[in-house]
């Protein structure tokens, strides 16, 4: 094998590789001999057909197989000999080859940069611990009381009031024509709960049971049934019964009705749950602090093609946000050149952090087990009640989708490892103090506004987007609600992730 290095600039390496004709022929003859052992040809004993006959019958097919194998083997040999770690699949182009002549091909490859992580023990991080207050625990208990409260029919005739639970019959019409999903009989509805579309529950306040009435509403423009979105409707309604809440005493008996030993145990459980919720929030804050410090401490070159691929994924989301008129307020009014420059920096940051976290993880033997992937699949399944089996089967039948769950798990494990190694300054704050600090930080970021100031979560270098962002790997769709009910709030389109 003869190798000529044509380019050595930054992370780009271009080579011209020549494989001698004799070498190719030896490989072809060896492969034909191997194939001939298993072939029966008329007039010859099994496995005894002459090489010349085998070449006539199978030479072209074997030649193609040998060329492919030779290019693969020689290119990998070259990379190994020179200690080059490719950042992606090398681009290979056969320049020339005819039978009996040398094989010549070009290989262009981007290599991974040399990464020297900072001393993790020298990193200083801020970690906040939020201790739930008695007031927050009491508020949580009040919500539990409301969620578990019992009701009873009113004993004295009166009109409905906000907070009552009514048993109502209704039938919706658009232009005097009933529509699918717009009819309900004996439906329990708490007035003021906002379970139905805006304006519906308000018109049932202050009415008498048994008296028919019309409720006039307009379906929201973003309603989850296209045929109803933005249209006016009239519902023929009758409140059949009015129920009011039964007073609940918060004591040991109430706690026991929820499966806990006593009221103290209930408060402890609530405190722990609130602590876990705050813990998730403060962990993200610590993680952002860590990623910012890692970004500031490392400035190695990133493979151009990886940065370009990341930018293209981001930019496709920007264009979609433009089409949906959901572009971030900060981005509105900026020219395309300004946006491209800003998001190219974000793409470079993501790739650099991804490579750095991957390097730290590999250097310290961090891996993702199948058990951890299975737990992530189950968590995805729990997010779609009633469709758990479909979600599990989706990941089981789509190895690529299942593999995509490894990237965020791996990233979290590396982040946790770094936090364990770093010098962590832990502070205790109340929720109000935490919110005040967050608002102050946001105000400071706004005042300092620069394109490079946008901080984005890192992604593992080789990781693709989650299945939900791939056309070929969609999760089972959630079932639509009855037309009369309020649609679930839509999450704002993100332009950065």
């Amino acid at each position: 094998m003869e190798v000529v290095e044509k380019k050595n600039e930054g992370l780009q390496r271009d080579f011209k590789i020549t494989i001698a004709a004799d070498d190719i022929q030896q490989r072809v003859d060896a492969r034909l001999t191997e194939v001939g052992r298993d072939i029966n040809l008329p007039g010859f004993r099994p496995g005894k057909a002459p090489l010349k006959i085998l070449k006539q019958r199978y030479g072209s097919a074997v030649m193609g197989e040998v060329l492919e194998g030779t290019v693969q083997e020689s290119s990998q040999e070259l990379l190994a000999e020179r200690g080059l770690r490719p950042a992606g699949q090398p681009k290979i182009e056969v320049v020339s080859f005819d039978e009996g002549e040398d094989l010549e091909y070009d290989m262009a490859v981007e290599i991974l940069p040399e990464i020297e992580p900072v001393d993790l023990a020298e990193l200083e991080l801020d970690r906040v611990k939020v201790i739930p207050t008695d007031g927050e625990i009491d508020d949580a208990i009040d919500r539990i009381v409301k969620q578990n409260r019992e009701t009873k029919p009113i004993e004295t005739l009166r009109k409905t009031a906000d907070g009552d639970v009514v048993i109502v019959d209704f039938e919706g019409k658009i232009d005097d024509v009933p529509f699918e999903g717009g009819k309900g009989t004996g439906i329990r509805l708490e007035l003021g709960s906002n379970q139905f579309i805006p304006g519906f529950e308000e018109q049932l306040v202050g009415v008498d049971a048994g008296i028919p009435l019309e409720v006039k509403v307009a379906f929201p423009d973003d309603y989850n049934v296209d045929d109803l979105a933005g249209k006016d409707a009239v519902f023929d309604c009758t409140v059949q019964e009015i129920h009011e809440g039964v007073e609940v005493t918060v004591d040991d008996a109430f706690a026991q009705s929820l499966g806990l030993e006593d009221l103290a145990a209930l408060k402890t459980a609530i405190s722990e749950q609130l602590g876990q919720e705050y813990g998730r929030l403060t962990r993200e804050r610590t993680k952002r602090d860590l990623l910012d410090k890692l970004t500031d401490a490392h400035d190695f070159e990133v493979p151009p093609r990886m940065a370009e691929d990341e930018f293209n994924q981001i930019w496709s989301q920007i264009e979609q946000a433009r089409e949906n008129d959901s572009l971030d307020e900060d981005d509105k009014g900026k020219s395309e050149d300004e946006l491209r420059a800003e998001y190219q920096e974000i793409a470079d940051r993501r790739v650099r952090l991804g490579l750095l976290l991957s390097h730290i993880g590999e250097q310290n033997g961090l891996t993702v087990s199948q058990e951890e992937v299975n737990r992530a699949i189950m968590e995805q399944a729990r997010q779609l009640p009633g469709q758990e089996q479909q979600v599990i089967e989706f990941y089981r039948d789509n190895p690529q989708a299942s593999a995509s769950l490894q990237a965020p798990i791996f990233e979290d494990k590396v982040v946790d490892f770094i936090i364990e190694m770093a010098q962590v300054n832990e502070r205790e704050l109340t929720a109000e103090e935490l919110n005040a600090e967050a608002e102050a930080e946001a105000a400071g970021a706004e005042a300092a506004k620069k394109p490079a100031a946008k901080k984005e979560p890192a992604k593992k270098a080789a990781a693709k987007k989650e299945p939900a962002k791939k056309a070929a790997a969609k999760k089972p769709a959630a079932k639509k609600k009855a037309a009369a009910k309020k649609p679930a709030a839509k999450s704002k389109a993100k332009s950065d992730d």
Side-chain angles (χ1 to χ4, degrees), residues 214-262:
E214 287 187 344
V215 170
K216 298 179 180 179
V217 293
F219 282 95
D221 292 334
D222 61 351
Y223 194 65
N224 59 354
V225 179
D226 293 339
D227 292 341
L228 302 178
K231 294 184 178 180
D232 294 331
V234 176
F235 285 83
D236 295 327
C237 299
T238 302
V239 173
Q240 300 294 359
E241 299 177 28
I242 304 172
H243 291 211
E244 59 187 359
V246 176
E247 189 68 28
V248 175
T249 301
V250 178
D251 54 13
D252 290 344
F254 174 72
Q256 289 164 3
S257 71
L258 299 175
L260 290 111
E261 185 176 350
D262 52 28

Side-chain angles (χ1 to χ4, degrees), residues 42-95:
F44 300 97
R45 287 180 296 164
K48 297 298 182 180
L51 188 60
K52 182 177 180 180
I53 300 298
L54 293 174
K55 283 183 179 180
Q56 291 174 353
R57 294 215 176 188
Y58 306 106
S60 296
V62 167
M63 178 62 77
E65 178 186 334
V66 166
L67 289 179
E68 182 178 353
T70 300
V71 168
Q72 177 70 17
E73 181 183 326
S74 58
S75 62
Q76 292 300 316
E77 181 183 340
L78 168 60
L79 294 173
E81 284 180 353
R82 303 204 174 199
L84 301 178
R85 298 177 302 142
Q89 191 68 24
K91 290 184 176 180
I92 293 176
E93 181 180 355
V94 174
V95 176

Side-chain angles (χ1 to χ4, degrees), residues 14 50 93 120 130 139 184 188 205 257 325 330 352 371 392 418 420 446 450 454-455 491:
D14 291 356
E93 181 180 355
L120 302 181
V130 178
D139 289 343
R188 288 179 62 88
V205 175
S257 71
D325 194 27
D330 289 346
R352 186 174 291 108
E371 181 181 352
I392 293 171
I418 297 174
E420 286 296 319
E446 183 69 19
K450 304 182 185 175
K454 273 200 174 187
K455 303 299 185 182
S491 59

Side-chain angles (χ1 to χ4, degrees), residues 122-187:
E122 295 297 320
L123 285 175
E124 294 185 9
L125 300 175
D126 184 52
R127 180 163 57 193
V128 171
K129 184 176 182 180
V130 178
I131 306 298
T133 64
D134 291 341
E136 290 175 292
I137 295 172
D138 290 340
D139 289 343
I141 291 176
D142 288 342
R143 290 192 293 272
I144 294 173
V145 168
K146 188 173 181 180
Q147 292 166 1
N148 291 274
R149 73 168 184 164
E150 296 180 356
T151 63
K152 65 178 181 178
I154 58 174
E155 297 177 356
T156 303
L157 291 179
R158 63 170 175 81
K159 296 180 182 296
T160 58
D162 194 46
D164 284 343
V165 173
V166 297
I167 311 300
V168 61
D169 300 340
F170 58 80
E171 182 175 22
K173 299 178 183 178
I174 294 177
D175 297 330
D176 292 327
V177 178
F179 54 85
E180 184 179 356
K183 184 175 183 179
T185 302
I187 304 299

Side-chain angles (χ1 to χ4, degrees), residues 18 63 74 94 117 137 142 268 273 335 353 366 398 465 488-489:
T18 303
M63 178 62 77
S74 58
V94 174
I137 295 172
D142 288 342
T268 299
Q273 183 178 358
S335 69
L353 281 171
L366 302 179
N398 293 273
K465 295 293 181 185

Side-chain angles (χ1 to χ4, degrees), residues 420-434:
E420 286 296 319
M421 297 291 293
Q423 301 176 37
V424 179
N425 174 37
E426 190 166 283
R427 297 180 295 132
E428 289 189 1
L429 296 177
T430 65
E432 290 77 11
E433 291 169 337
L434 178 64

Side-chain angles (χ1 to χ4, degrees), residues 444-477:
E446 183 69 19
K449 227 174 194 186
K450 304 182 185 175
K454 273 200 174 187
K455 303 299 185 182
E456 302 298 330
K459 294 186 181 293
K460 192 179 177 187
K464 301 296 181 185
K465 295 293 181 185
E466 287 76 11
K469 304 206 192 296
K470 287 186 180 177
K474 291 183 179 176
K475 293 181 188 175

Side-chain angles (χ1 to χ4, degrees), residues 358-430:
S358 179
H359 178 78
I360 293 173
E362 291 170 3
Q363 290 289 91
N364 292 280
L366 302 179
T367 59
V368 177
S369 68
Q370 185 58 48
E371 181 181 352
E372 290 170 316
V373 174
N374 291 341
R375 283 201 299 267
I377 292 174
M378 295 306 299
E379 181 60 33
Q380 294 288 323
R382 279 193 290 270
Q383 295 178 17
L384 288 173
Q387 301 184 63
E388 292 88 348
Q389 191 60 37
Q390 290 172 263
V391 174
I392 293 171
E393 290 175 358
F394 162 76
Y395 282 106
R396 183 193 64 196
D397 298 337
N398 293 273
Q400 187 176 7
S402 181
S404 72
L405 295 176
Q406 295 186 30
I409 298 173
F410 181 81
E411 178 178 305
D412 282 343
K413 292 184 78 167
V414 176
V415 166
D416 289 339
F417 173 80
I418 297 174
I419 291 173
E420 286 296 319
M421 297 291 293
Q423 301 176 37
V424 179
N425 174 37
E426 190 166 283
R427 297 180 295 132
E428 289 189 1
L429 296 177
T430 65

